[in-house]
Amino acid sequence: AVTGSWDGVVRFWGVGAEEGKKKPTFECINSFEVEGYVNGLALDEEGRFVVCALGREHRLGRWDVLRKCKERLGVIKLSSSGAEKDDDEEEEEEEEEE
């Protein structure tokens, strides 16, 4: 499982089940700090990378604006040995002024 939120951290979770318990267990196995709010995540079908939608504002409100950040996409490459941030494939898309 992969999560991201307002704190600018993308987290990778190991999901398991303990014998005799009905609820699953979660353990953070890796994390990456990114600049901005994590407003969306997508994984490709082959499980090779995660794309993060990063923004200046939280997707559900405008109560806080991170002025130094840009609206952009971040890419995290996945491999059998773990995940690594790919700064070369990071694309920037500036928000249009209204």
Side-chain angles (χ1 to χ4, degrees):
V2 182
T3 61
S5 188
W6 64 271
D7 63 356
V9 179
V10 176
R11 292 179 178 85
F12 293 83
W13 299 89
V15 182
E18 290 185 30
E19 192 172 327
K21 293 191 176 186
K22 293 181 181 181
K23 293 184 179 181
T25 59
F26 298 91
E27 178 185 0
C28 184
I29 55 176
N30 205 346
S31 64
F32 292 93
E33 288 188 26
V34 294
E35 193 171 307
Y37 289 103
V38 181
N39 288 324
L41 294 168
L43 289 91
D44 75 313
E45 291 180 5
E46 289 83 30
R48 296 173 300 170
F49 56 88
V50 175
V51 177
C52 312
L54 306 172
R56 293 182 198 135
E57 300 172 337
H58 191 280
R59 70 181 183 89
L60 299 176
R62 297 189 131 183
W63 57 84
D64 189 24
V65 177
L66 302 174
R67 301 230 183 261
K68 66 177 182 173
C69 297
K70 293 184 178 182
E71 308 289 332
R72 62 195 173 106
L73 297 175
V75 177
I76 299 173
K77 285 185 179 181
L78 304 176
S79 67
S80 57
S81 62
E84 60 184 53
K85 204 165 23 171
D86 185 4
D87 292 328
D88 294 336
E89 288 189 25
E90 211 170 77
E91 294 184 27
E92 294 183 7
E93 180 179 315
E94 292 196 26
E95 183 178 341
E96 291 182 21
E97 296 291 326
E98 292 184 31

